[in-house]
Amino acid sequence: MKIGIIGAGNIGGNLARRLTALGHDVRVANSRGPETLAALVAETGAKAVRADEAARDAEIVVVTVPLKAVPDLPAGFLDGAAEGVAVIDTGNYYPQQRDGRIAGIEDEGLTESRWTERQIGHPVIKAFNGTFAQDILDRHRPAGDPGRQALPVSGDDEAAKRAVRALIDELGFDTVDNGGIDDSWRQQPGTPVYGLRAGVEEVRKALAEASPERPADFRG
């Protein structure tokens, strides 16, 4: 599968490591230019490209940049993607810690991923946002393993969601369908499932226990 990754931080870098190990054709980009990704390329065999090239022909694109950087993504960066491309949003809103106040989230009550959709002009599937980056490398397990970790996944495009859930399964994790993007508040920072290392039933329980009120630490 052709996969583009925009953002080469902890999550993006470790996804590049695992996806190339699984045999996928991975392009990776960051904000500083392909020449800064030489070490990751040498380690993984992924191809370093500019951000406006990462999605070319890609069937899945991972957007894993700070939320405040989403509006700075190249205009039309998804134009060359494969038809029906699934876009994974791993982002979280940290107004006090990193991103500053985002009016659409604070004043309109948009979920983080609905706001991201508006910025990039394409539906997204929210996944990996509450996953510890090192777990992508260390905690994958074969299907049926009693210690297999489950990740919540939200999105409105059912075909894209199926593709993302299948990829996560291949990466060695179970998934729990958390409904549409307007339901994705259940997996935002400060909720019971955020950072939870648990199986399917515990993840379902944590999603059900979430409150729509954003905790004070995550309000701008």
Side-chain angles (χ1 to χ4, degrees):
M1 187 179 291
K2 292 185 177 181
I3 299 173
I5 301 175
I6 301 177
N10 294 333
I11 293 285
N14 284 352
L15 283 174
R17 291 177 176 93
R18 287 284 293 127
L19 291 168
T20 52
L22 290 167
H24 294 288
D25 180 356
V26 177
R27 290 176 167 229
V28 61
N30 66 4
S31 61
R32 295 177 295 137
E35 65 280 358
T36 66
L37 296 170
L40 183 63
V41 168
E43 178 188 350
T44 65
K47 183 177 181 181
V49 297
R50 298 193 315 266
D52 60 356
E53 300 175 314
R56 186 179 301 162
D57 300 323
E59 298 152 85
I60 291 180
V61 173
V62 184
V63 175
T64 180
V65 301
L67 213 65
K68 66 179 180 180
V70 169
D72 299 326
L73 292 171
F77 73 94
L78 293 168
D79 289 352
E83 185 176 355
V85 61
V87 178
I88 299 175
D89 168 34
T90 76
N92 291 309
Y93 177 45
Y94 301 119
Q96 299 175 32
Q97 301 89 341
R98 183 191 64 195
D99 297 313
R101 190 179 191 277
I102 295 177
I105 295 173
E106 298 287 356
D107 300 336
E108 297 182 54
L110 298 177
T111 61
E112 297 161 4
S113 289
R114 183 67 77 195
W115 181 84
T116 295
E117 284 188 343
R118 290 192 179 183
Q119 306 308 305
I120 69 172
H122 194 281
V124 301
I125 305 299
K126 190 175 188 75
F128 296 110
N129 72 293
T131 308
F132 292 102
Q134 194 62 32
D135 289 354
I136 294 169
L137 300 183
D138 296 344
R139 294 180 67 89
H140 54 90
R141 301 287 186 275
D145 188 300
R148 205 179 204 217
Q149 190 169 321
L151 310 183
V153 179
S154 304
D156 300 331
D157 183 329
E158 291 300 325
K161 191 190 291 184
R162 284 194 299 273
V164 171
R165 295 181 74 182
L167 185 69
I168 294 172
D169 177 63
E170 187 183 357
L171 283 164
F173 300 89
D174 288 332
T175 57
V176 173
D177 190 336
N178 184 44
I181 285 299
D182 288 336
D183 302 309
S184 64
W185 58 266
R186 293 184 181 276
Q187 65 189 87
Q188 291 177 170
T191 61
V193 83
Y194 182 77
L196 180 66
R197 290 167 163 152
V200 168
E201 291 310 315
E202 291 132 300
V203 167
R204 283 186 179 139
K205 182 173 182 288
L207 290 168
E209 291 173 349
S211 166
E213 183 175 353
R214 191 180 295 275
D217 288 350
F218 298 104
R219 292 200 299 265

